[in-house]
């Protein structure tokens, strides 16, 4: 009887230890998730990149990001103010920051099929949907009519040239829509017709011609989904950056 009690006591102690270890394991997983999420958020919120923005400061005129930066994208009154990278394929910058380091927030990047000087009539730019409206997180807000009407402008800096952006449309689209995501193989007339027909909001006041250069900003609508939110803008009024003396 005494031996049985000892065995029960030992088993009970083992059970307590295992329970404690399991709880600690869950705690460490939770802690890791919190720290990881914080680091991802901080990485996406890293405004130190702004020192590389052409014309942003006297120092920025002489600095270049290590990597494949082809432009700088800014959408007024949003957190979108980032370098645009371009890799050899469209997977390269999904989880790599502009410095070339691993990052879950990735980079804003131009479709690898597009010309890096944005001379194509249609260019596609991708970015992750991050919390706090970082990276391309604010694109979802364009699906609200008031937001769409209030956020009409931005800039795209390519080399020493600044293009004014005129935002004219937003839509929900599947990543399989060839008119949007295989545009280098689709006629511009078909692309523009698709945008006009399928956009949730379309600003008819902005005149769009077949020869105009258009950019599309795309982000995921939901995690692990084929649905995308795409915002369209016209490149307008190219002018040179004024260099600081």
């Amino acid at each position: 009887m005494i031996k049985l009690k000892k065995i029960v006591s030992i088993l009970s102690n083992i059970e307590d230890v295992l329970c404690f270890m399991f709880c600690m394991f869950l705690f460490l997983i939770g802690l890791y998730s919190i720290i990881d999420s914080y680091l991802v958020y901080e990485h996406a919120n890293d405004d130190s990149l702004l020192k590389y923005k052409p014309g942003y400061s006297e120092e920025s005129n002489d600095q270049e990001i290590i990597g494949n930066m082809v432009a700088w994208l800014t959408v007024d009154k949003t957190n979108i103010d980032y370098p645009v990278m371009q890799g050899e394929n469209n997977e390269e910058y999904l989880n790599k920051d502009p410095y070339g380091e691993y990052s879950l927030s990735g980079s804003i990047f131009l479709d690898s099929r597009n010309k890096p000087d944005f001379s194509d009539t249609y260019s596609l730019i991708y970015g992750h949907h991050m919390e706090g409206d970082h990276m391309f997180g604010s694109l979802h807000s364009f699906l609200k009519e008031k937001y769409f009407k209030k956020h009409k402008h931005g800039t795209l800096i390519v080399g020493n040239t600044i293009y004014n952006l005129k935002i004219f449309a937003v839509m929900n689209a599947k990543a399989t829509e060839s008119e949007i995501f295989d545009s280098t193989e689709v006629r511009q007339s078909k692309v523009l017709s698709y945008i006009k027909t399928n956009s949730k909001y379309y600003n008819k006041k902005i005149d769009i011609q077949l020869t105009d250069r258009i950019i599309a900003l795309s982000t995921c609508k939901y995690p692990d989904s084929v649905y995308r939110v795409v915002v369209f803008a016209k490149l307008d009024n190219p002018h040179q950056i004024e260099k600081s003396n």
Side-chain angles (χ1 to χ4, degrees):
M1 188 69 177
I2 296 177
K3 289 183 178 181
L4 180 60
K5 288 183 178 181
K6 287 183 178 181
I7 293 173
V8 172
S9 178
I10 293 172
L11 290 176
S12 179
N13 290 336
I14 293 175
E15 183 181 4
D16 290 341
V17 171
L18 291 175
C19 183
F20 174 78
M21 292 178 65
F22 180 71
C23 291
M24 284 298 298
F25 176 71
L26 294 178
F27 171 77
L28 291 174
I29 290 178
L31 182 62
Y32 172 80
S33 298
I34 293 173
I35 294 175
D36 184 61
S37 298
Y38 173 78
L39 292 175
V40 169
Y41 175 82
E42 284 298 302
H43 208 108
N45 194 30
D46 182 12
D47 60 3
S48 67
L49 286 170
L50 286 173
K51 66 183 178 183
Y52 298 102
K53 183 176 180 178
Y56 181 74
S57 65
E58 292 184 7
E59 292 79 10
S60 68
N61 292 329
D62 299 319
Q63 297 195 59
E64 295 181 359
I65 289 179
I66 298 173
N68 304 310
M69 187 177 86
V70 294
W72 193 284
L73 173 68
T74 304
V75 178
D76 296 348
K77 301 178 182 179
T78 74
N79 287 331
I80 298 176
D81 200 7
Y82 297 104
V84 180
M85 315 303 291
Q86 187 178 40
E88 295 183 1
N89 54 62
N90 287 336
E91 285 72 46
E92 182 173 349
Y93 280 97
L94 278 175
N95 298 115
K96 187 166 75 172
D97 68 17
Y99 302 110
E101 301 295 330
Y102 176 77
S103 168
L104 286 175
S105 58
S107 299
I108 304 301
F109 63 94
L110 176 67
D111 194 297
S112 61
R113 298 166 294 181
N114 280 128
K115 295 175 184 177
D117 61 356
F118 286 81
S119 58
D120 292 323
T121 51
Y122 183 93
S123 299
L124 185 57
I125 301 176
Y126 305 93
H128 285 308
H129 175 205
M130 305 299 296
E131 295 297 328
D133 286 345
H134 296 293
M135 304 306 284
F136 271 1
S138 58
L139 293 188
H140 283 229
S141 297
F142 281 87
L143 295 171
K144 301 174 184 177
E145 187 174 9
K146 287 184 179 180
Y147 192 94
F148 176 76
K149 289 181 176 180
K150 289 182 178 180
H151 296 77
K152 303 177 181 179
H153 305 289
T155 55
L156 184 74
I157 303 175
V158 184
N160 292 322
T161 302
I162 302 178
Y163 295 91
N164 292 338
L165 298 183
K166 290 186 175 180
I167 296 171
F168 67 91
V170 60
M171 72 165 60
N172 292 302
K174 288 185 178 180
T176 53
E177 299 293 347
S178 60
E179 289 86 353
I180 301 301
F181 296 100
D182 291 320
S183 58
T184 54
E185 302 172 13
V186 180
R187 288 181 303 170
Q188 182 76 340
S189 58
K190 192 173 182 180
V191 173
L192 293 178
S193 176
Y194 186 89
I195 294 172
K196 189 172 184 179
T197 303
N198 294 278
S199 292
K200 182 171 184 179
Y201 300 117
Y202 188 95
N203 188 348
K204 297 179 181 179
K205 294 181 180 180
I206 298 178
D207 183 38
I208 307 295
Q209 302 294 325
L210 291 178
T211 54
D212 287 332
R213 281 186 272 178
I214 305 299
I215 63 169
L217 313 180
S218 173
T219 193
C220 293
K221 186 171 185 180
Y222 309 108
D224 302 320
S225 170
V226 297
Y227 289 95
R228 304 288 184 266
V229 175
V230 191
V231 172
F232 302 91
K234 171 184 174 179
L235 300 187
D236 193 44
N237 187 31
H239 53 284
Q240 297 297 303
I241 294 176
E242 295 182 6
K243 294 286 187 179
S244 301
N245 296 325

